Amino acid sequence: MAAKKSIDYTEILVRQGIISPEQLAEAVQMSDQSGMKVPDSLSRLGYATGDEVMRAMAEQHGCDYVNLSDVVIPPSVVELVPESVARENAVLPLAEGDGKLTVIVSDPNDFETIDKLVFILNRQIEIALAPRENILEAINRHYGQTVGESTDSMLQEFTDTAIDFTETEEDLVGADDEIDESSAPIVRLVQLIITEAVQLRASDIHIEPFEDRIRVRYRIDGILMERDSPPRRLLGALLSRIKILAKLDIAERRRTQDGRIKVTIGEKELDLRVSVIPTNHGQSVVMRILDKDSIKVGLRQLGFSEEDFKKFDSLIQRPNGIILVTGPTGSGKTTSLYAALNELNTPDRKIITAEDPVEYYLPGVNQVEIRHSIGLDFARVIRAMLRQAPNIILVGEMRDLETAEMGIQASLTGHLVFSTLHTNDAPSAVTRLIDMGIPAYLVASSVVAIMGQRLIRVVCQKCKQAYTPSQTMLEATGITPEMAAGATFLKGRGCGNCQGTGFRGRLAIFELMIMSSKIRELTFAEAPTEQLRRMAVTEGMKTLYWDGIDKVLRGVTTLEEVYRVAKRSDED
């Protein structure tokens, strides 16, 4: 008689109502196209968390699921698996007994690794499951206590030591040299700072000199968090090391400098965009961490409401016209545009971009970097682009009249043009273009839609808990009792998973203004921004504020977070 087949984890997820059959089909299709595993596709699409997938896998295979944030593993058990073996295979020992060792893994079907552990450790192995990223965090936590080195310990070492620590250029090893215990301490410190920032999901690293100290800060989910300060005497050595990695002139101290560093942290290859500026206390450095994975998002993962998603998805399928994305620096405009290009990037379309600088490289897209030093500016690149017969053009930013004129010219000659503008909301982009000197009739006839956006932090999934806002708060925000009755208000308590902030990850809030005939008429008449906004709201535009409130009602974020990035206006 045939053995009873266990239920697949995907069937368990569907049965539990975590995903629908349609969502599963979409994840399988994405998996086939991109080569990633189905669990990763489900997580990337936002349909199921790593925890939910892993719990279903544990049920399928009859294993235990381990919540690593709640588990303390004794050092005597940790020592049973060498750190190199744990890191190389992304496994962690959990417990021992009866001659067996229970090991936490992320893939129950990885029999090769399990066999390797049996051979190396000479023990019978039982498995428990946890998401891979949780295992890697736990490895850093547990082995960091016994072996290895942390940024904190190195900084403490430098602070405690009164020796004046300086490096010459010859002392500092090159970017391609191996980082090991014998490398110069400053080399290890820079490597540790970068590694720690990546592990904490930072988007950039700020190293700022002051009169008596050096301040190191990481920007995590848009908020700067301060780390321990290295002693002031390390400034010269730190700067020299970073400049050598970025291939910059270490003798230049008076001018601004820009460079790039390529680093590998774990299995990730990352680009760091380095900017050095002189300040009154020395040179200040910002390293922007560019993670290729962060722009592999689909349109659905950006945070669109179902209604706005359908509108935007149909807009980008248009053959011509200008679609503008507006918002301040760091509001996710580039990510939104890249998500649109990823959607449109098929073999039958030619896509060219003009960017300053090119931050991420998109396969199948012709990307041109603006170089002002040789006169290669936006307007000249766009003019040359049109001779390349593209279907879709992306202009990094419409920052002056000439660039805007060329973009409009391209849209009127049958091209779909994407670009960005630094304005506070969607309606004010129309006024900005007219103020630049673009005739109102050209703005009215070429622009098809303007999307304003901001980024808000998402409530941590590990420590979220329900709460009830005060009546005063609800009245101030405009949430009616009917809306509050059907809402799920959540906030994060603060845990190790979110560094005690209560938030982990970010989503965008949007306002999508489509250029209807009435809005075109107002544009043609050069109507003020307030009038355009009122008309857009009347025609059904959901403002940034109300898109944020909608996410609050669904338990995605908090009222305080929406108030931080979007204010309620008179039209709301």
Side-chain angles (χ1 to χ4, degrees), residues 456 473-474 477-480 483 487 489 509 542-559 562-563 566 568:
I456 53 167
M473 176 72 110
L474 292 176
T477 53
I479 297 173
T480 63
M483 292 161 73
F489 293 106
I509 53 174
K542 186 189 285 184
T543 62
L544 283 169
Y545 176 78
W546 279 109
D547 193 33
I549 292 296
D550 187 47
K551 289 180 171 65
V552 171
L553 298 175
R554 291 190 286 115
V556 174
T557 189
T558 65
L559 287 166
V562 172
Y563 261 88
R568 191 179 178 192

PDB file of all heavy atoms in Angstrom, residues 456 473-474 477-480 483 487 489 509 542-559 562-563 566 568:
ATOM      1  N   ILE A 456       6.113  55.707   4.353  1.00  0.00           N
ATOM      2  CA  ILE A 456       5.761  55.569   5.769  1.00  0.00           C
ATOM      3  C   ILE A 456       6.288  54.238   6.291  1.00  0.00           C
ATOM      4  O   ILE A 456       6.391  53.261   5.554  1.00  0.00           O
ATOM      5  CB  ILE A 456       4.222  55.635   5.993  1.00  0.00           C
ATOM      6  CG1 ILE A 456       3.506  54.618   5.100  1.00  0.00           C
ATOM      7  CG2 ILE A 456       3.690  57.030   5.800  1.00  0.00           C
ATOM      8  CD1 ILE A 456       2.067  54.400   5.472  1.00  0.00           C
ATOM      9  N   MET A 473      -8.128  62.094  19.383  1.00  0.00           N
ATOM     10  CA  MET A 473      -7.242  61.786  18.258  1.00  0.00           C
ATOM     11  C   MET A 473      -8.052  61.429  17.021  1.00  0.00           C
ATOM     12  O   MET A 473      -7.763  61.912  15.918  1.00  0.00           O
ATOM     13  CB  MET A 473      -6.316  60.627  18.639  1.00  0.00           C
ATOM     14  CG  MET A 473      -5.413  60.147  17.535  1.00  0.00           C
ATOM     15  SD  MET A 473      -4.104  61.300  17.158  1.00  0.00           S
ATOM     16  CE  MET A 473      -2.683  60.439  17.771  1.00  0.00           C
ATOM     17  N   LEU A 474      -9.089  60.619  17.178  1.00  0.00           N
ATOM     18  CA  LEU A 474      -9.929  60.217  16.046  1.00  0.00           C
ATOM     19  C   LEU A 474     -10.618  61.434  15.416  1.00  0.00           C
ATOM     20  O   LEU A 474     -10.676  61.571  14.190  1.00  0.00           O
ATOM     21  CB  LEU A 474     -10.970  59.184  16.477  1.00  0.00           C
ATOM     22  CG  LEU A 474     -10.432  57.798  16.882  1.00  0.00           C
ATOM     23  CD1 LEU A 474     -11.565  56.917  17.390  1.00  0.00           C
ATOM     24  CD2 LEU A 474      -9.738  57.114  15.706  1.00  0.00           C
ATOM     25  N   THR A 477      -8.180  63.558  13.443  1.00  0.00           N
ATOM     26  CA  THR A 477      -7.724  62.963  12.180  1.00  0.00           C
ATOM     27  C   THR A 477      -8.841  62.839  11.152  1.00  0.00           C
ATOM     28  O   THR A 477      -8.589  62.517   9.996  1.00  0.00           O
ATOM     29  CB  THR A 477      -7.141  61.548  12.430  1.00  0.00           C
ATOM     30  OG1 THR A 477      -8.105  60.776  13.147  1.00  0.00           O
ATOM     31  CG2 THR A 477      -5.858  61.622  13.218  1.00  0.00           C
ATOM     32  N   GLY A 478     -10.081  63.074  11.566  1.00  0.00           N
ATOM     33  CA  GLY A 478     -11.193  62.987  10.617  1.00  0.00           C
ATOM     34  C   GLY A 478     -11.749  61.586  10.446  1.00  0.00           C
ATOM     35  O   GLY A 478     -12.510  61.314   9.515  1.00  0.00           O
ATOM     36  N   ILE A 479     -11.354  60.658  11.337  1.00  0.00           N
ATOM     37  CA  ILE A 479     -11.865  59.283  11.254  1.00  0.00           C
ATOM     38  C   ILE A 479     -13.239  59.244  11.939  1.00  0.00           C
ATOM     39  O   ILE A 479     -13.355  59.560  13.117  1.00  0.00           O
ATOM     40  CB  ILE A 479     -10.886  58.287  11.925  1.00  0.00           C
ATOM     41  CG1 ILE A 479      -9.543  58.275  11.184  1.00  0.00           C
ATOM     42  CG2 ILE A 479     -11.484  56.882  11.971  1.00  0.00           C
ATOM     43  CD1 ILE A 479      -8.469  57.449  11.859  1.00  0.00           C
ATOM     44  N   THR A 480     -14.245  58.861  11.198  1.00  0.00           N
ATOM     45  CA  THR A 480     -15.612  58.820  11.742  1.00  0.00           C
ATOM     46  C   THR A 480     -15.799  57.575  12.605  1.00  0.00           C
ATOM     47  O   THR A 480     -15.048  56.591  12.460  1.00  0.00           O
ATOM     48  CB  THR A 480     -16.650  58.786  10.602  1.00  0.00           C
ATOM     49  OG1 THR A 480     -16.451  57.564   9.858  1.00  0.00           O
ATOM     50  CG2 THR A 480     -16.497  59.979   9.662  1.00  0.00           C
ATOM     51  N   MET A 483     -16.018  54.466  10.481  1.00  0.00           N
ATOM     52  CA  MET A 483     -14.712  54.002   9.984  1.00  0.00           C
ATOM     53  C   MET A 483     -13.946  53.301  11.104  1.00  0.00           C
ATOM     54  O   MET A 483     -13.333  52.250  10.895  1.00  0.00           O
ATOM     55  CB  MET A 483     -13.902  55.181   9.442  1.00  0.00           C
ATOM     56  CG  MET A 483     -14.468  55.798   8.174  1.00  0.00           C
ATOM     57  SD  MET A 483     -13.827  57.464   7.878  1.00  0.00           S
ATOM     58  CE  MET A 483     -12.165  57.131   7.372  1.00  0.00           C
ATOM     59  N   ALA A 487     -12.217  49.216  11.828  1.00  0.00           N
ATOM     60  CA  ALA A 487     -10.764  49.336  11.677  1.00  0.00           C
ATOM     61  C   ALA A 487     -10.006  48.372  12.575  1.00  0.00           C
ATOM     62  O   ALA A 487     -10.527  47.877  13.572  1.00  0.00           O
ATOM     63  CB  ALA A 487     -10.338  50.765  11.993  1.00  0.00           C
ATOM     64  N   PHE A 489      -6.629  48.855  14.493  1.00  0.00           N
ATOM     65  CA  PHE A 489      -5.532  49.747  14.865  1.00  0.00           C
ATOM     66  C   PHE A 489      -4.422  48.919  15.519  1.00  0.00           C
ATOM     67  O   PHE A 489      -4.646  48.229  16.499  1.00  0.00           O
ATOM     68  CB  PHE A 489      -6.015  50.825  15.845  1.00  0.00           C
ATOM     69  CG  PHE A 489      -6.992  51.796  15.243  1.00  0.00           C
ATOM     70  CD1 PHE A 489      -8.342  51.726  15.558  1.00  0.00           C
ATOM     71  CD2 PHE A 489      -6.564  52.774  14.354  1.00  0.00           C
ATOM     72  CE1 PHE A 489      -9.253  52.613  15.008  1.00  0.00           C
ATOM     73  CE2 PHE A 489      -7.463  53.671  13.796  1.00  0.00           C
ATOM     74  CZ  PHE A 489      -8.811  53.587  14.111  1.00  0.00           C
ATOM     75  N   ILE A 509       2.733  55.910   0.386  1.00  0.00           N
ATOM     76  CA  ILE A 509       1.346  56.384   0.278  1.00  0.00           C
ATOM     77  C   ILE A 509       1.310  57.286  -0.958  1.00  0.00           C
ATOM     78  O   ILE A 509       2.294  57.960  -1.273  1.00  0.00           O
ATOM     79  CB  ILE A 509       0.867  57.141   1.541  1.00  0.00           C
ATOM     80  CG1 ILE A 509       1.823  58.273   1.916  1.00  0.00           C
ATOM     81  CG2 ILE A 509       0.683  56.187   2.702  1.00  0.00           C
ATOM     82  CD1 ILE A 509       1.329  59.152   3.056  1.00  0.00           C
ATOM     83  N   LYS A 542      -7.753  60.257  -4.251  1.00  0.00           N
ATOM     84  CA  LYS A 542      -7.518  60.042  -2.820  1.00  0.00           C
ATOM     85  C   LYS A 542      -6.199  60.716  -2.475  1.00  0.00           C
ATOM     86  O   LYS A 542      -5.163  60.398  -3.057  1.00  0.00           O
ATOM     87  CB  LYS A 542      -7.444  58.537  -2.517  1.00  0.00           C
ATOM     88  CG  LYS A 542      -7.344  58.228  -1.025  1.00  0.00           C
ATOM     89  CD  LYS A 542      -7.060  56.767  -0.773  1.00  0.00           C
ATOM     90  CE  LYS A 542      -8.283  55.890  -1.006  1.00  0.00           C
ATOM     91  NZ  LYS A 542      -8.000  54.482  -0.660  1.00  0.00           N
ATOM     92  N   THR A 543      -6.225  61.681  -1.543  1.00  0.00           N
ATOM     93  CA  THR A 543      -5.010  62.437  -1.227  1.00  0.00           C
ATOM     94  C   THR A 543      -4.019  61.585  -0.431  1.00  0.00           C
ATOM     95  O   THR A 543      -4.364  60.524   0.087  1.00  0.00           O
ATOM     96  CB  THR A 543      -5.350  63.691  -0.403  1.00  0.00           C
ATOM     97  OG1 THR A 543      -5.941  63.266   0.832  1.00  0.00           O
ATOM     98  CG2 THR A 543      -6.307  64.610  -1.142  1.00  0.00           C
ATOM     99  N   LEU A 544      -2.764  62.093  -0.353  1.00  0.00           N
ATOM    100  CA  LEU A 544      -1.720  61.399   0.414  1.00  0.00           C
ATOM    101  C   LEU A 544      -2.204  61.101   1.834  1.00  0.00           C
ATOM    102  O   LEU A 544      -2.035  59.994   2.343  1.00  0.00           O
ATOM    103  CB  LEU A 544      -0.464  62.282   0.500  1.00  0.00           C
ATOM    104  CG  LEU A 544       0.439  62.369  -0.724  1.00  0.00           C
ATOM    105  CD1 LEU A 544       1.458  63.486  -0.541  1.00  0.00           C
ATOM    106  CD2 LEU A 544       1.149  61.053  -0.980  1.00  0.00           C
ATOM    107  N   TYR A 545      -2.826  62.094   2.442  1.00  0.00           N
ATOM    108  CA  TYR A 545      -3.271  61.957   3.830  1.00  0.00           C
ATOM    109  C   TYR A 545      -4.283  60.823   3.972  1.00  0.00           C
ATOM    110  O   TYR A 545      -4.153  59.961   4.845  1.00  0.00           O
ATOM    111  CB  TYR A 545      -3.885  63.286   4.302  1.00  0.00           C
ATOM    112  CG  TYR A 545      -4.460  63.216   5.698  1.00  0.00           C
ATOM    113  CD1 TYR A 545      -3.634  63.265   6.814  1.00  0.00           C
ATOM    114  CD2 TYR A 545      -5.829  63.085   5.901  1.00  0.00           C
ATOM    115  CE1 TYR A 545      -4.148  63.199   8.098  1.00  0.00           C
ATOM    116  CE2 TYR A 545      -6.364  63.020   7.187  1.00  0.00           C
ATOM    117  CZ  TYR A 545      -5.520  63.069   8.280  1.00  0.00           C
ATOM    118  OH  TYR A 545      -6.036  62.992   9.542  1.00  0.00           O
ATOM    119  N   TRP A 546      -5.296  60.793   3.091  1.00  0.00           N
ATOM    120  CA  TRP A 546      -6.340  59.775   3.225  1.00  0.00           C
ATOM    121  C   TRP A 546      -5.864  58.387   2.792  1.00  0.00           C
ATOM    122  O   TRP A 546      -6.359  57.378   3.291  1.00  0.00           O
ATOM    123  CB  TRP A 546      -7.604  60.187   2.468  1.00  0.00           C
ATOM    124  CG  TRP A 546      -8.405  61.157   3.280  1.00  0.00           C
ATOM    125  CD1 TRP A 546      -8.577  62.480   3.042  1.00  0.00           C
ATOM    126  CD2 TRP A 546      -9.086  60.871   4.517  1.00  0.00           C
ATOM    127  NE1 TRP A 546      -9.326  63.054   4.048  1.00  0.00           N
ATOM    128  CE2 TRP A 546      -9.656  62.093   4.963  1.00  0.00           C
ATOM    129  CE3 TRP A 546      -9.269  59.739   5.295  1.00  0.00           C
ATOM    130  CZ2 TRP A 546     -10.395  62.188   6.141  1.00  0.00           C
ATOM    131  CZ3 TRP A 546      -9.998  59.830   6.467  1.00  0.00           C
ATOM    132  CH2 TRP A 546     -10.554  61.034   6.882  1.00  0.00           C
ATOM    133  N   ASP A 547      -4.872  58.342   1.902  1.00  0.00           N
ATOM    134  CA  ASP A 547      -4.295  57.037   1.561  1.00  0.00           C
ATOM    135  C   ASP A 547      -3.551  56.500   2.788  1.00  0.00           C
ATOM    136  O   ASP A 547      -3.597  55.305   3.086  1.00  0.00           O
ATOM    137  CB  ASP A 547      -3.340  57.164   0.366  1.00  0.00           C
ATOM    138  CG  ASP A 547      -2.960  55.805  -0.219  1.00  0.00           C
ATOM    139  OD1 ASP A 547      -3.807  54.889  -0.181  1.00  0.00           O
ATOM    140  OD2 ASP A 547      -1.833  55.649  -0.700  1.00  0.00           O
ATOM    141  N   GLY A 548      -2.884  57.421   3.527  1.00  0.00           N
ATOM    142  CA  GLY A 548      -2.210  57.020   4.770  1.00  0.00           C
ATOM    143  C   GLY A 548      -3.200  56.564   5.823  1.00  0.00           C
ATOM    144  O   GLY A 548      -2.995  55.538   6.488  1.00  0.00           O
ATOM    145  N   ILE A 549      -4.318  57.311   5.993  1.00  0.00           N
ATOM    146  CA  ILE A 549      -5.345  56.934   6.973  1.00  0.00           C
ATOM    147  C   ILE A 549      -5.940  55.568   6.626  1.00  0.00           C
ATOM    148  O   ILE A 549      -6.211  54.747   7.513  1.00  0.00           O
ATOM    149  CB  ILE A 549      -6.453  58.015   7.042  1.00  0.00           C
ATOM    150  CG1 ILE A 549      -5.901  59.316   7.636  1.00  0.00           C
ATOM    151  CG2 ILE A 549      -7.656  57.532   7.858  1.00  0.00           C
ATOM    152  CD1 ILE A 549      -5.421  59.224   9.074  1.00  0.00           C
ATOM    153  N   ASP A 550      -6.110  55.311   5.347  1.00  0.00           N
ATOM    154  CA  ASP A 550      -6.621  54.011   4.896  1.00  0.00           C
ATOM    155  C   ASP A 550      -5.700  52.882   5.384  1.00  0.00           C
ATOM    156  O   ASP A 550      -6.160  51.830   5.832  1.00  0.00           O
ATOM    157  CB  ASP A 550      -6.727  54.022   3.360  1.00  0.00           C
ATOM    158  CG  ASP A 550      -7.405  52.765   2.833  1.00  0.00           C
ATOM    159  OD1 ASP A 550      -8.452  52.383   3.384  1.00  0.00           O
ATOM    160  OD2 ASP A 550      -6.883  52.153   1.880  1.00  0.00           O
ATOM    161  N   LYS A 551      -4.373  53.119   5.333  1.00  0.00           N
ATOM    162  CA  LYS A 551      -3.404  52.109   5.786  1.00  0.00           C
ATOM    163  C   LYS A 551      -3.418  51.985   7.315  1.00  0.00           C
ATOM    164  O   LYS A 551      -3.146  50.920   7.864  1.00  0.00           O
ATOM    165  CB  LYS A 551      -2.010  52.447   5.260  1.00  0.00           C
ATOM    166  CG  LYS A 551      -1.888  52.224   3.750  1.00  0.00           C
ATOM    167  CD  LYS A 551      -0.512  52.562   3.228  1.00  0.00           C
ATOM    168  CE  LYS A 551      -0.347  52.114   1.781  1.00  0.00           C
ATOM    169  NZ  LYS A 551      -1.212  52.796   0.845  1.00  0.00           N
ATOM    170  N   VAL A 552      -3.733  53.097   8.002  1.00  0.00           N
ATOM    171  CA  VAL A 552      -3.865  53.049   9.467  1.00  0.00           C
ATOM    172  C   VAL A 552      -5.055  52.162   9.841  1.00  0.00           C
ATOM    173  O   VAL A 552      -4.968  51.315  10.735  1.00  0.00           O
ATOM    174  CB  VAL A 552      -4.060  54.470  10.058  1.00  0.00           C
ATOM    175  CG1 VAL A 552      -4.417  54.386  11.544  1.00  0.00           C
ATOM    176  CG2 VAL A 552      -2.802  55.294   9.867  1.00  0.00           C
ATOM    177  N   LEU A 553      -6.179  52.341   9.141  1.00  0.00           N
ATOM    178  CA  LEU A 553      -7.399  51.575   9.436  1.00  0.00           C
ATOM    179  C   LEU A 553      -7.198  50.082   9.192  1.00  0.00           C
ATOM    180  O   LEU A 553      -7.865  49.253   9.798  1.00  0.00           O
ATOM    181  CB  LEU A 553      -8.573  52.090   8.577  1.00  0.00           C
ATOM    182  CG  LEU A 553      -8.991  53.562   8.814  1.00  0.00           C
ATOM    183  CD1 LEU A 553     -10.063  53.985   7.824  1.00  0.00           C
ATOM    184  CD2 LEU A 553      -9.488  53.761  10.238  1.00  0.00           C
ATOM    185  N   ARG A 554      -6.253  49.751   8.300  1.00  0.00           N
ATOM    186  CA  ARG A 554      -5.975  48.333   8.011  1.00  0.00           C
ATOM    187  C   ARG A 554      -4.852  47.776   8.883  1.00  0.00           C
ATOM    188  O   ARG A 554      -4.420  46.635   8.686  1.00  0.00           O
ATOM    189  CB  ARG A 554      -5.635  48.152   6.528  1.00  0.00           C
ATOM    190  CG  ARG A 554      -6.846  48.384   5.614  1.00  0.00           C
ATOM    191  CD  ARG A 554      -6.584  47.967   4.178  1.00  0.00           C
ATOM    192  NE  ARG A 554      -5.724  48.890   3.467  1.00  0.00           N
ATOM    193  CZ  ARG A 554      -4.514  48.603   3.015  1.00  0.00           C
ATOM    194  NH1 ARG A 554      -3.999  47.402   3.208  1.00  0.00           N
ATOM    195  NH2 ARG A 554      -3.796  49.493   2.369  1.00  0.00           N
ATOM    196  N   GLY A 555      -4.342  48.601   9.806  1.00  0.00           N
ATOM    197  CA  GLY A 555      -3.306  48.110  10.724  1.00  0.00           C
ATOM    198  C   GLY A 555      -1.920  48.037  10.132  1.00  0.00           C
ATOM    199  O   GLY A 555      -1.031  47.383  10.678  1.00  0.00           O
ATOM    200  N   VAL A 556      -1.697  48.729   8.991  1.00  0.00           N
ATOM    201  CA  VAL A 556      -0.388  48.681   8.331  1.00  0.00           C
ATOM    202  C   VAL A 556       0.591  49.626   9.021  1.00  0.00           C
ATOM    203  O   VAL A 556       1.763  49.332   9.186  1.00  0.00           O
ATOM    204  CB  VAL A 556      -0.524  49.057   6.826  1.00  0.00           C
ATOM    205  CG1 VAL A 556       0.851  49.162   6.162  1.00  0.00           C
ATOM    206  CG2 VAL A 556      -1.379  48.030   6.103  1.00  0.00           C
ATOM    207  N   THR A 557       0.092  50.809   9.421  1.00  0.00           N
ATOM    208  CA  THR A 557       0.959  51.805  10.045  1.00  0.00           C
ATOM    209  C   THR A 557       0.184  52.499  11.166  1.00  0.00           C
ATOM    210  O   THR A 557      -0.920  52.076  11.512  1.00  0.00           O
ATOM    211  CB  THR A 557       1.477  52.808   9.002  1.00  0.00           C
ATOM    212  OG1 THR A 557       2.475  53.641   9.598  1.00  0.00           O
ATOM    213  CG2 THR A 557       0.360  53.677   8.425  1.00  0.00           C
ATOM    214  N   THR A 558       0.761  53.570  11.735  1.00  0.00           N
ATOM    215  CA  THR A 558       0.119  54.267  12.854  1.00  0.00           C
ATOM    216  C   THR A 558      -0.261  55.695  12.462  1.00  0.00           C
ATOM    217  O   THR A 558       0.285  56.246  11.503  1.00  0.00           O
ATOM    218  CB  THR A 558       1.051  54.327  14.074  1.00  0.00           C
ATOM    219  OG1 THR A 558       2.195  55.131  13.731  1.00  0.00           O
ATOM    220  CG2 THR A 558       1.522  52.947  14.486  1.00  0.00           C
ATOM    221  N   LEU A 559      -1.168  56.285  13.230  1.00  0.00           N
ATOM    222  CA  LEU A 559      -1.597  57.664  12.974  1.00  0.00           C
ATOM    223  C   LEU A 559      -0.419  58.632  13.080  1.00  0.00           C
ATOM    224  O   LEU A 559      -0.273  59.543  12.265  1.00  0.00           O
ATOM    225  CB  LEU A 559      -2.684  58.067  13.983  1.00  0.00           C
ATOM    226  CG  LEU A 559      -4.067  57.437  13.767  1.00  0.00           C
ATOM    227  CD1 LEU A 559      -4.940  57.626  14.998  1.00  0.00           C
ATOM    228  CD2 LEU A 559      -4.752  58.037  12.542  1.00  0.00           C
ATOM    229  N   VAL A 562       1.654  58.623   9.875  1.00  0.00           N
ATOM    230  CA  VAL A 562       1.023  59.358   8.763  1.00  0.00           C
ATOM    231  C   VAL A 562       1.180  60.861   8.985  1.00  0.00           C
ATOM    232  O   VAL A 562       1.517  61.607   8.063  1.00  0.00           O
ATOM    233  CB  VAL A 562      -0.470  58.974   8.617  1.00  0.00           C
ATOM    234  CG1 VAL A 562      -1.165  59.869   7.595  1.00  0.00           C
ATOM    235  CG2 VAL A 562      -0.603  57.511   8.204  1.00  0.00           C
ATOM    236  N   TYR A 563       0.968  61.306  10.235  1.00  0.00           N
ATOM    237  CA  TYR A 563       1.116  62.736  10.548  1.00  0.00           C
ATOM    238  C   TYR A 563       2.548  63.215  10.332  1.00  0.00           C
ATOM    239  O   TYR A 563       2.780  64.385  10.047  1.00  0.00           O
ATOM    240  CB  TYR A 563       0.689  63.018  11.998  1.00  0.00           C
ATOM    241  CG  TYR A 563      -0.717  63.556  12.083  1.00  0.00           C
ATOM    242  CD1 TYR A 563      -1.805  62.689  12.184  1.00  0.00           C
ATOM    243  CD2 TYR A 563      -0.962  64.917  12.025  1.00  0.00           C
ATOM    244  CE1 TYR A 563      -3.100  63.163  12.243  1.00  0.00           C
ATOM    245  CE2 TYR A 563      -2.257  65.410  12.081  1.00  0.00           C
ATOM    246  CZ  TYR A 563      -3.325  64.536  12.189  1.00  0.00           C
ATOM    247  OH  TYR A 563      -4.606  65.025  12.222  1.00  0.00           O
ATOM    248  N   ALA A 566       2.553  63.375   6.143  1.00  0.00           N
ATOM    249  CA  ALA A 566       1.466  63.995   5.363  1.00  0.00           C
ATOM    250  C   ALA A 566       0.542  64.766   6.292  1.00  0.00           C
ATOM    251  O   ALA A 566       0.135  64.252   7.336  1.00  0.00           O
ATOM    252  CB  ALA A 566       0.681  62.918   4.603  1.00  0.00           C
ATOM    253  N   ARG A 568      -3.056  66.999   6.972  1.00  0.00           N
ATOM    254  CA  ARG A 568      -4.429  67.119   6.497  1.00  0.00           C
ATOM    255  C   ARG A 568      -4.665  68.546   5.981  1.00  0.00           C
ATOM    256  O   ARG A 568      -4.376  69.521   6.680  1.00  0.00           O
ATOM    257  CB  ARG A 568      -5.383  66.815   7.650  1.00  0.00           C
ATOM    258  CG  ARG A 568      -6.819  66.653   7.215  1.00  0.00           C
ATOM    259  CD  ARG A 568      -7.693  66.329   8.405  1.00  0.00           C
ATOM    260  NE  ARG A 568      -9.080  66.215   7.989  1.00  0.00           N
ATOM    261  CZ  ARG A 568     -10.094  66.158   8.837  1.00  0.00           C
ATOM    262  NH1 ARG A 568      -9.857  66.194  10.129  1.00  0.00           N
ATOM    263  NH2 ARG A 568     -11.320  66.049   8.387  1.00  0.00           N
TER     264      ARG A 568
END
